[in-house]
Amino acid sequence: QVQLVESGGGLVQTGGSLRLSCAASGRTFRPYSMGWFRQAPGKERDFVAAISWSGGNIYYADSVKGRFTISRDNAKNTMYLQMNSLKPEDTAVYYCAAAQVPAFIATMKTNEYDYWGQGTQVTVSS
């Protein structure tokens, strides 16, 4: 089992920045792809970014490319999402997730993730 806890959400104005963190505990010695997803009210949960265990493979949704940066520190069992140039359409609950896949793989598929955090609210005001 892996437990994931997100932090760093909040209220920010358009153009502002936030840094989300996802702390993992439990069976963290296994390689995991990790990802960020988000869900706005009344909408499905969407992929945002993913990173392989090794950090060598990274994917972003087109809507966040050039503005968001995903990273991880395996020594600290923590993943990050640096969000810059935030827009009102980025408003959502952000979830981190972990997938038990080979170390070089990063996955964008929601159904391939085995563990999820409880989410952190990000609100961007116009």
Side-chain angles (χ1 to χ4, degrees), residues 40-83:
K43 295 187 177 181
E44 295 185 350
R45 189 170 298 188
D46 291 331
F47 168 76
V48 175
I51 185 169
S52 61
W53 174 263
S54 64
N57 287 305
I58 290 175
Y59 299 114
Y60 294 100
D62 288 343
S63 59
V64 306
K65 280 182 182 176
R67 299 188 298 123
F68 290 11
T69 302
I70 189 172
S71 61
R72 67 189 295 167
D73 184 338
N74 290 339
K76 295 182 179 180
N77 295 322
T78 303
M79 175 179 66
Y80 306 96
L81 185 68
Q82 178 66 44
M83 306 186 294

Side-chain angles (χ1 to χ4, degrees), residues 11-115:
L11 173 65
V12 65
Q13 292 185 335
T14 296
S17 298
L18 283 174
R19 188 194 196 202
L20 304 184
S21 298
C22 173
S25 61
R27 299 185 65 181
T28 55
F29 55 87
R30 297 186 62 176
Y32 293 101
S33 169
M34 296 194 73
W36 289 99
F37 293 77
R38 65 187 182 186
Q39 188 168 20
K43 295 187 177 181
E44 295 185 350
R45 189 170 298 188
D46 291 331
F47 168 76
V48 175
I51 185 169
S52 61
W53 174 263
S54 64
N57 287 305
I58 290 175
Y59 299 114
Y60 294 100
D62 288 343
S63 59
V64 306
K65 280 182 182 176
R67 299 188 298 123
F68 290 11
T69 302
I70 189 172
S71 61
R72 67 189 295 167
D73 184 338
N74 290 339
K76 295 182 179 180
N77 295 322
T78 303
M79 175 179 66
Y80 306 96
L81 185 68
Q82 178 66 44
M83 306 186 294
N84 298 328
S85 302
L86 283 163
K87 306 174 181 179
E89 50 263 45
D90 294 318
T91 295
V93 177
Y94 283 70
Y95 298 89
C96 70
Q100 298 181 44
V101 296
F104 57 90
I105 292 200
T107 180
M108 298 179 283
K109 299 179 180 178
T110 306
N111 61 4
E112 292 187 351
Y113 282 84
D114 304 287
Y115 304 103

